[in-house]
Amino acid sequence: MNLRFLPLCLLLPVVAAAQSATPSDPRITSWNLAPSGRYARLYESTAAKNAGTAVTTWSRGAGVQATPAYAGVMHVSYSASWVYVRSTGLGYHTMGPWYGNAAQTQNFPNFPASQNVLYRIPRTPTVPTTKTLTPGGAIGYGVDGVALFDNRDAFSYAAASGQDASPANGLRGDGIWNRDAYVNEGVTFDPALAHQAGSNYHYHANTPALRYLLGDRVTYDAATKSYAEETAAPARHSPILGWLADGHPLYGPYGYASPLDPTSGVRRMVPGYAKRDGTLGTTNLAVTGRTSLPAWAQRAQNRAGTLTAAQSGPAVNAVYTLGHYLEDYDYLGELGKTQGADFDLDLYNGRFCVTPEFPQGTYAYFLTIEADGTPKFPYMLGRWYYGSPTGGSVAAVGETVAEYVRGGQSQALAVTATATDAGVTVRWNSVEGGTYAVATSADGTTFTPLAGGIASAGLATSYATSVRAAYYRVTLTALAVFDSRGTGGLSGLDGFGTAALPVQTVGTTGTARLVNLATRAAVGGAAGTPIAGFAVGGTGAKRLLLRAVGPGLAAFGVSGALADPALSVVAGSATVAANDNWVTADATTMAAAGAFALTAGSRDAALVTTLGPGTYSTVIGANGGAGTALLEVYDTDTGTPASRLVNASTRAFVGTGSEVLIPGFVVSGTGTVRLLIRAVGPTLASFGVAGALADPQLTLYSGATAVATNDNWATAANAEAVAAAATTAGAFALANGSRDAALLVDLPAGAYTANVAGAGGTTGTALFELYLAP
């Protein structure tokens, strides 16, 4: 059977991803350093927030930031037993404002400040029989380097005074009826649901700003500077939000419906705690008064369940509402209810389960929320750690460790040099407050200065020059004064990165050229809108057939196909061609191009258009639906045309099973064509893409035969050739040592498919790229 008459992306079965290379421990790799080259910022007031006026220095109470501090995680290192994390403790998001009352007429007493964090977590958690109560202060850290606190606010009811202890009255309380931090202090939280103890910025409950950064079903309204929970049904497992002192992960609120079955669907996790309102077998405190403790609190306090008058709490009323105290909740597992049937999470607010990062299973805590994102007790953890909390803050790293990654001012410089008509454009990841110099070299050893005093343009900076050279080096030469607390003394000065600009040679032989590009991807709903593109090179116009096939996939046994796709072609910001439902006049062109036939009157989309050299993007609209669609681009020119397809890309969500990303292409003609093929995940974070696939794996097939495969591009034998091909093809550079995948292959005529999956069944957004390479 002629392969060109079948959808390329339907030719192969889904291939399971292999295990990734070291370091693969998520305790090492899940820390988010991508935004750490930016100063921490805050809004000093609601008026400043509404105006979008943030500051990088500030002073209020204990929170004094006289010089800017870089935000978040600064350094990650590890040994066989421990992972060490340095952080400033300041959020990547713009923090604040904070008030002491709902009317926002009382300023919160303190601003945050850099914390000089050095925290470690065990790589091999232990689970003791006797559990440890969570302490005051940090119980772990978010992957953004912000402290995680437990569900208490450090004050309790003082029975002798008939009131809650508080900073205002100077009391501490009896330690029996302990105040819920979210309920009692939530008014002081900023839009990220965080505030500070002294100057220590921290989370107690839901973390919407961090979850938004990680792509976990949170939206951000730039006009109101606010976050909201997405309303569509969840389609993917939440990411790791942080690590607790016992070495167990804290995930967002969405997990697999069946704890050991990743194919069981995803839903919001249900905690095992319920208010003591008389339902579900709980005590009705509104009737009995706060005269007894739940069974879990009896053990936590080593106290009898029935309390004396001097130990009882206040009556449930409008001031002391049900939920005001932690002890207002029963654990349903102690009332005859069953975990896994009546609720998901145990006494500690976790469960043993498989996750994308732990396909073999792990104990994991889950953030708990209501459907609208409102924090839900017990929020992160119950009153105990599940494991032994051997981790915590340390004064210094007292052993030999391996460095995993640096952030902030000391982050590694990844440089690219791209030839243009006018010369060369040099690009690099930069740090706020940094000044850079560019130098050139003929041999990669001896460098001659080209330009200096180049100020950072943010997290990415570029420099254009007419000087062509074989190599370009960028060096960080100066930094504005910054707060070095939390950076571990790493200055970053004189750090450099080098890019090669080899002489371009033609890798294609004979008449071989790309004549068909195709990608199957999920569209609409939680998957969103895949972003696909292609480029036409050479001279002269190119006649193309483009299709977005949904209903037409049913003939090939594809379930859940998109019912009514729409297709548009965009150049820059202008739509140059569009179609909703294809027309029969194009059937002849489809047949001549070797495309499979569409059923007359189907709601598939297709168009025939002629485009000049340039870069184009294609958008598949879902018309309010959701499902799988196949995007196809056919070169309909015959003979030896003056222009050709030189680049294709698709950014889409990569799931598991049938939802991995499967692009395809066809090579026609004689000889071979050299192609650079990439599956980019981690490097997308430097472009602000949230929820990027942490460890993509790429396999290329011809029919059912694997032609080539790659997990981590930098460990491949031809890594230098891959980097050089990217430079000359105009592709952005992949970060040194990143877990992105890439192949450089010479291919004869034939049909090929690529399989992009996440190592260990992980999911996230990935960018598939195909370049005609020198």
Side-chain angles (χ1 to χ4, degrees):
M1 180 178 292
N2 188 335
L3 295 178
R4 290 190 64 194
F5 284 82
L6 285 178
L8 291 172
C9 298
L10 302 177
L11 294 176
L12 294 176
V14 174
V15 178
Q19 192 63 38
S20 59
T22 5
S24 59
D25 185 352
R27 292 173 182 83
I28 300 170
T29 62
S30 63
W31 300 94
N32 189 323
L33 284 78
S36 65
R38 187 172 180 265
Y39 293 149
R41 286 169 164 77
L42 63 78
Y43 295 122
E44 296 182 294
S45 65
T46 296
K49 177 174 74 74
N50 293 341
T53 306
V55 295
T56 58
T57 60
W58 55 79
S59 177
R60 181 186 292 169
V64 178
Q65 199 62 59
T67 54
Y70 292 105
V73 182
M74 297 289 108
H75 192 243
V76 179
S77 57
Y78 62 96
S79 66
S81 300
W82 301 99
V83 178
Y84 295 87
V85 179
R86 291 190 183 274
S87 171
T88 63
L90 300 172
Y92 293 133
H93 55 276
T94 302
M95 302 172 290
W98 303 270
Y99 291 93
N101 62 339
Q104 297 188 347
T105 57
Q106 302 171 5
N107 284 328
F108 193 70
N110 302 307
F111 278 158
S114 183
Q115 292 299 296
N116 194 24
V117 174
L118 177 57
Y119 199 85
R120 71 177 186 178
I121 59 169
R123 294 188 63 183
T124 306
T126 57
V127 180
T129 302
T130 302
K131 306 299 184 182
T132 302
L133 289 165
T134 56
I139 59 173
Y141 273 83
V143 296
D144 59 350
V146 174
L148 307 175
F149 278 31
D150 71 6
N151 47 24
R152 301 168 300 152
D153 77 350
F155 295 97
S156 59
Y157 185 68
S161 300
Q163 62 182 322
D164 279 350
S166 72
N169 59 31
L171 301 173
R172 297 298 298 181
D174 305 328
I176 301 173
W177 297 93
N178 295 280
R179 300 203 318 172
D180 181 302
Y182 169 69
V183 172
N184 289 276
E185 295 184 328
V187 69
T188 70
F189 293 175
D190 66 7
L193 297 190
H195 67 173
Q196 36 280 349
S199 63
N200 189 1
Y201 189 67
H202 61 271
Y203 305 116
H204 282 282
N206 188 15
T207 60
L210 172 57
R211 291 178 54 216
Y212 173 75
L213 173 69
L214 300 176
D216 187 32
R217 293 184 46 75
V218 172
T219 61
Y220 177 69
D221 187 327
T224 61
K225 317 295 190 300
S226 62
Y227 301 89
E229 199 73 14
E230 290 183 2
T231 56
R236 54 186 181 270
H237 196 287
S238 284
I240 294 172
L241 301 182
W243 294 92
L244 281 301
D246 63 358
H248 289 118
L250 171 67
Y251 279 87
Y254 302 98
Y256 297 131
S258 178
L260 299 179
D261 183 3
T263 68
S264 62
V266 174
R267 60 180 172 81
R268 180 167 49 90
M269 293 290 96
V270 177
Y273 289 82
K275 286 182 179 178
R276 301 172 74 190
D277 60 2
T279 64
L280 302 174
T282 63
T283 302
N284 191 340
L285 295 186
V287 174
T288 65
R290 289 185 170 101
T291 58
S292 66
L293 291 176
W296 66 265
Q298 296 172 37
R299 297 194 303 278
Q301 298 181 25
N302 192 25
R303 198 183 304 274
T306 302
L307 301 175
T308 67
Q311 296 172 324
S312 296
V316 175
N317 55 36
V319 176
Y320 299 102
T321 58
L322 193 64
H324 188 87
Y325 302 108
L326 273 57
E327 293 75 18
D328 287 351
Y329 291 87
D330 270 320
Y331 173 59
L332 297 177
E334 297 169 333
L335 301 178
K337 305 298 181 181
T338 304
Q339 183 184 358
D342 301 305
F343 54 90
D344 295 308
L345 306 178
D346 62 16
L347 181 69
Y348 315 102
N349 213 40
R351 65 178 187 174
F352 187 87
C353 56
V354 297
T355 70
E357 292 78 14
F358 292 94
Q360 304 306 314
T362 184
Y363 184 86
Y365 303 102
F366 284 82
L367 200 70
T368 48
I369 62 171
E370 303 286 1
D372 64 356
T374 300
K376 186 176 180 68
F377 188 86
Y379 313 119
M380 294 183 189
L381 272 67
R383 277 295 287 116
W384 294 269
Y385 293 101
Y386 176 74
S388 181
T390 55
S393 296
V394 292
V397 177
E399 61 176 325
T400 301
V401 294
E403 179 179 275
Y404 175 63
V405 67
R406 296 184 180 188
Q409 78 292 339
S410 61
Q411 61 186 267
L413 278 175
V415 182
T416 63
T418 305
T420 67
D421 290 341
V424 175
T425 298
V426 184
R427 297 181 177 88
W428 63 94
N429 58 303
S430 52
V431 60
E432 191 167 3
T435 302
Y436 298 85
V438 178
T440 61
S441 173
D443 58 7
T445 302
T446 303
F447 284 84
T448 301
L450 177 63
I454 303 171
S456 166
L459 295 181
T461 300
S462 63
Y463 173 76
T465 176
S466 59
V467 177
R468 290 183 180 271
Y471 297 91
Y472 294 83
R473 173 167 291 180
V474 176
T475 303
L476 175 62
T477 57
L479 278 168
V481 175
F482 67 97
D483 186 341
S484 63
R485 291 177 293 178
T487 65
L490 301 172
S491 74
L493 289 175
D494 299 322
F496 64 85
T498 303
L501 187 71
V503 176
Q504 185 166 348
T505 59
V506 178
T508 299
T509 64
T511 62
R513 63 188 174 99
L514 289 168
V515 294
N516 177 212
L517 309 168
T519 303
R520 190 185 77 181
V523 181
T529 302
I531 301 175
F534 62 91
V536 176
T539 60
K542 171 65 61 183
R543 187 171 182 268
L544 297 169
L545 164 67
L546 295 96
R547 309 199 306 179
V549 182
L553 296 181
F556 300 95
V558 176
S559 60
L562 185 62
D564 185 11
L567 176 64
S568 58
V569 182
V570 178
S573 59
T575 299
V576 296
N579 175 261
D580 192 350
N581 300 321
W582 74 287
V583 294
T584 55
D586 290 334
T588 302
T589 302
M590 294 181 193
F596 64 91
L598 301 178
T599 302
S602 75
R603 303 178 78 178
D604 302 291
L607 58 89
V608 178
T609 186
T610 299
L611 302 173
T615 301
Y616 302 89
S617 60
T618 52
V619 179
I620 301 178
N623 280 325
T628 300
L630 176 68
L631 173 66
E632 299 177 297
V633 180
Y634 291 87
D635 180 349
T636 65
D637 288 334
T638 58
T640 306
S643 58
R644 54 184 175 170
L645 293 169
V646 296
N647 170 227
S649 63
T650 301
R651 193 183 82 180
F653 175 73
V654 175
T656 58
S658 62
E659 293 188 353
V660 298
L661 182 60
I662 309 179
F665 58 92
V666 170
V667 175
S668 178
T670 63
T672 61
V673 63
R674 181 169 297 169
L675 297 175
L676 171 66
I677 305 172
R678 309 199 303 181
V680 183
T683 299
L684 293 181
S686 63
F687 297 96
V689 177
L693 185 63
D695 188 4
Q697 294 180 322
L698 174 63
T699 305
L700 180 66
Y701 291 88
S702 173
T705 302
V707 175
T709 186
N710 178 257
D711 184 356
N712 301 321
W713 77 276
T715 62
N718 66 340
E720 289 188 9
V722 167
T727 299
T728 53
F732 61 87
L734 301 179
N736 291 331
S738 77
R739 301 170 80 181
D740 305 289
L743 297 168
L744 185 63
V745 290
D746 294 307
L747 300 175
Y752 301 88
T753 53
N755 182 291
V756 179
T762 52
T763 63
T765 298
L767 175 67
F768 172 81
E769 298 180 298
L770 179 71
Y771 292 91
L772 197 63

